Amino acid sequence: MDEPKPPSPRRLKAPSSIDDLLARAHALEGWTLDRLASAHGHAKLGSGLHFKGKAGELVERVLGASGGPGATLDFPELGVELKTIPIKPDGRPAESTFVCAIRLEDAERAEWQTSWVRQKLMRVLFVPISDDSTRMLGRALLWEPTSLQEEALQADFDDIMGLAGIGRIEDISAHIGKYLQLRPKARDGSPRALAFGADGERLRTVPRGFYLRARFTGAILRNPESLPDEA
Amino acid sequence: MDEPKPPSPRRLKAPSSIDDLLARAHALEGWTLDRLASAHGHAKLGSGLHFKGKAGELVERVLGASGGPGATLDFPELGVELKTIPIKPDGRPAESTFVCAIRLEDAERAEWQTSWVRQKLMRVLFVPISDDSTRMLGRALLWEPTSLQEEALQADFDDIMGLAGIGRIEDISAHIGKYLQLRPKARDGSPRALAFGADGERLRTVPRGFYLRARFTGAILRNPESLPDEA
DNA sequence: TAGGATCCAGCTTTGGATCCTT
DNA sequence: AAGGATCCAAAGCTGGATCCTA
């Protein structure tokens, strides 16, 4: 028996509308990363299960994301950020989801309303990928936070940036934040990022980024309007 | 400096009312198990941290529980069941809470309204004990389930007894039940309990008992009317 | 055995470290 | 360095096994 043949994903022009983007994303359901790479003239993706970023980059290209450098969304005209998300056989995310890095030196002035993390999270296209050897794409979901969800995210942001703003960056562990957390984000643990200490002194620390906890994204994938509650 | 001296816990008469019971229980706050045992003429409780049941038995005696054999509550006149509960330094329970054993051979006829587990849970005096070397008593809490809490417990009971009633006792794992679970309850894994199989045949299986998950009791201790919600 | 619970190995979760491409 | 994420050792959780006294 032949494999069923999904519609071709070979599209490179930017999607013209959210409906267009969502239709393209839905058409990817059932493709494996290897077949997707071949269909786009890429070599096979290597021998391992995971590729640290390659999946995300490939899906971006296939969907026609503007990409490119600069602090921008994947689909700036549509206000959409793309995130691939690895899913275990039981349907839950295998990992937290990286959102964006932060500039620690600006922590004191940071506000949720104008933050980069909020811009990224206001409209997200989640593309599930099975966390097994097939690396198969699942059904994409376009998510916009409910007001309750946004309040919860802002509360976490305020807790984190509150500490950062008073120079207590080293007191921020990944334990802070019910749904949104701050973690190291660098190719090694070297303190290459600029920050200010409690007395206003400059110091170097490890670069950090915001992540959505797997518990939060797992709840969204099952019911986009839900919030995982505490005990 | 001397240790503060709580009021004497040396009481053996049954409490005359719920207020009396609660007042006695509150008077125990701050006592360690060792001091409580001494004050009651018991030898020290052994060298280990834990005593598998001794804490519960000691607190029962100090509060004047009727105890005694027979399928009865600790304070039958008051309709109160006593449960000690070990608490970690962070304030959450270290363990699930045993409720009662069940008669598997009666599973088919069992109903929540008339069940022993319901009788035990309709009014519980929780006595926290620190899960460290001090084994110090905390502030007792008298809990009666809200209607939402009781519905949730009944749903778990029905799931579990539904399987037991159709002879699928071996399919019941401790994973079933959001708040109330069924687990082995015996001094070893030997199949000493009577049950009926799917075809009505008699068989021997390991004795089992109901337990409240630590997530549930933890929520109650923080807010007696709360329910831990799912994602 | 019934009634009071805790013990603990194995699985799950996750916080911090790391990897690749442009 | 920025942007895309995954890796993985160690902590946390918990389901099944076990312990004590009367």
Side-chain angles (χ1 to χ4, degrees):
Chain A
M1 353 190 278
D2 285 347
E3 291 181 331
K5 187 158 188 173
S8 168
R10 209 177 201 307
R11 297 259 214 151
L12 291 173
K13 280 189 298 192
S16 58
S17 67
I18 288 189
D19 284 348
D20 183 20
L21 171 60
L22 199 51
R24 293 188 194 183
H26 284 163
L28 297 181
E29 187 174 0
W31 283 71
T32 65
L33 278 192
D34 271 345
R35 293 182 62 218
L36 202 58
S38 302
H40 280 259
H42 292 266
K44 291 199 72 171
L45 290 169
S47 51
L49 268 190
H50 299 103
F51 318 91
K52 288 202 169 181
K54 287 189 185 174
E57 292 168 6
L58 179 59
V59 174
E60 280 183 5
R61 286 185 204 139
V62 170
L63 291 178
S66 320
T72 184
L73 297 175
D74 291 308
F75 302 95
E77 308 81 358
L78 305 178
V80 172
E81 175 71 12
L82 173 67
K83 291 293 174 193
T84 57
I85 184 166
I87 301 293
K88 294 182 292 185
D90 68 3
R92 290 181 304 163
E95 295 283 353
S96 53
T97 299
F98 173 68
V99 181
C100 63
I102 64 167
R103 294 176 53 85
L104 288 168
E105 65 268 40
D106 297 340
E108 199 177 1
R109 296 186 294 288
E111 286 178 17
W112 171 253
Q113 283 299 325
T114 54
S115 66
W116 189 9
V117 55
R118 178 174 184 276
Q119 309 312 316
K120 290 244 183 189
L121 292 178
M122 288 308 283
R123 192 179 289 141
V124 180
L125 181 66
F126 285 108
V127 176
I129 303 188
S130 69
D131 187 49
D132 56 25
S133 61
T134 70
R135 298 297 284 174
M136 182 174 290
L137 302 182
R139 184 173 177 82
L141 171 73
L142 187 69
W143 171 73
E144 300 181 21
T146 66
S147 52
L148 281 178
Q149 287 169 336
E150 188 185 341
E151 282 171 23
L153 294 172
Q154 176 171 1
D156 289 342
F157 177 91
D158 290 345
D159 286 348
I160 292 166
M161 298 309 278
L163 282 173
I166 60 175
R168 295 179 52 196
I169 180 66
E170 301 303 348
D171 291 345
I172 303 177
S173 86
H175 293 276
I176 299 182
K178 289 201 296 192
Y179 310 124
L180 186 69
Q181 62 179 172
L182 196 69
R183 304 218 313 261
K185 173 72 169 68
R187 75 165 174 274
D188 52 42
S190 68
R192 292 176 287 97
L194 177 62
F196 293 106
D199 300 324
E201 77 280 16
R202 285 160 178 274
L203 47 81
R204 291 285 165 184
T205 187
V206 55
R208 284 151 222 252
F210 282 109
Y211 292 77
L212 296 176
R213 291 182 188 276
R215 199 160 52 85
F216 182 74
T217 53
I220 287 172
L221 292 181
R222 278 182 288 115
N223 173 1
E225 304 195 348
S226 66
L227 262 186
D229 281 345
E230 309 301 275
Chain B
M1 354 188 274
D2 285 347
E3 292 180 331
K5 187 157 189 172
S8 169
R10 209 177 201 306
R11 296 262 212 149
L12 291 173
K13 279 188 300 192
S16 58
S17 67
I18 288 189
D19 284 348
D20 183 20
L21 171 60
L22 199 51
R24 293 188 194 184
H26 283 163
L28 298 181
E29 186 174 0
W31 283 71
T32 65
L33 278 191
D34 271 345
R35 292 183 62 217
L36 202 57
S38 302
H40 280 258
H42 293 265
K44 290 199 74 172
L45 291 170
S47 51
L49 269 189
H50 299 104
F51 319 92
K52 289 202 169 182
K54 287 191 185 173
E57 292 168 6
L58 179 59
V59 174
E60 280 183 4
R61 286 186 204 139
V62 169
L63 291 178
S66 322
T72 184
L73 297 174
D74 291 309
F75 302 95
E77 308 81 359
L78 305 178
V80 172
E81 174 71 12
L82 173 67
K83 291 292 174 193
T84 58
I85 185 167
I87 302 292
K88 293 182 293 184
D90 67 4
R92 290 182 304 165
E95 295 282 353
S96 53
T97 299
F98 173 67
V99 181
C100 62
I102 63 166
R103 295 176 52 83
L104 288 168
E105 65 268 40
D106 297 339
E108 201 177 359
R109 296 186 293 287
E111 285 177 19
W112 172 252
Q113 283 300 325
T114 55
S115 67
W116 189 10
V117 55
R118 179 176 184 274
Q119 309 312 316
K120 289 243 182 188
L121 292 179
M122 289 308 284
R123 192 178 288 141
V124 180
L125 182 66
F126 285 107
V127 176
I129 302 188
S130 68
D131 186 49
D132 57 24
S133 61
T134 70
R135 301 295 285 173
M136 182 174 290
L137 301 182
R139 183 171 177 84
L141 170 74
L142 187 70
W143 172 74
E144 300 182 20
T146 65
S147 51
L148 281 178
Q149 287 169 337
E150 189 185 342
E151 282 171 24
L153 293 171
Q154 175 171 3
D156 290 341
F157 177 89
D158 290 345
D159 286 348
I160 292 166
M161 298 310 276
L163 282 173
I166 59 174
R168 295 180 52 197
I169 180 66
E170 301 302 349
D171 291 346
I172 302 177
S173 86
H175 294 276
I176 299 182
K178 290 201 296 192
Y179 309 124
L180 186 68
Q181 62 179 172
L182 196 69
R183 304 216 316 258
K185 173 72 168 69
R187 75 165 173 274
D188 53 42
S190 67
R192 292 176 288 98
L194 178 61
F196 293 106
D199 300 324
E201 76 280 15
R202 286 162 177 272
L203 47 81
R204 291 284 165 183
T205 187
V206 55
R208 284 150 222 254
F210 283 107
Y211 291 78
L212 296 176
R213 290 182 188 276
R215 199 160 52 86
F216 182 74
T217 52
I220 288 173
L221 292 180
R222 277 182 287 114
N223 172 1
E225 304 195 348
S226 66
L227 262 186
D229 281 345
E230 311 299 277

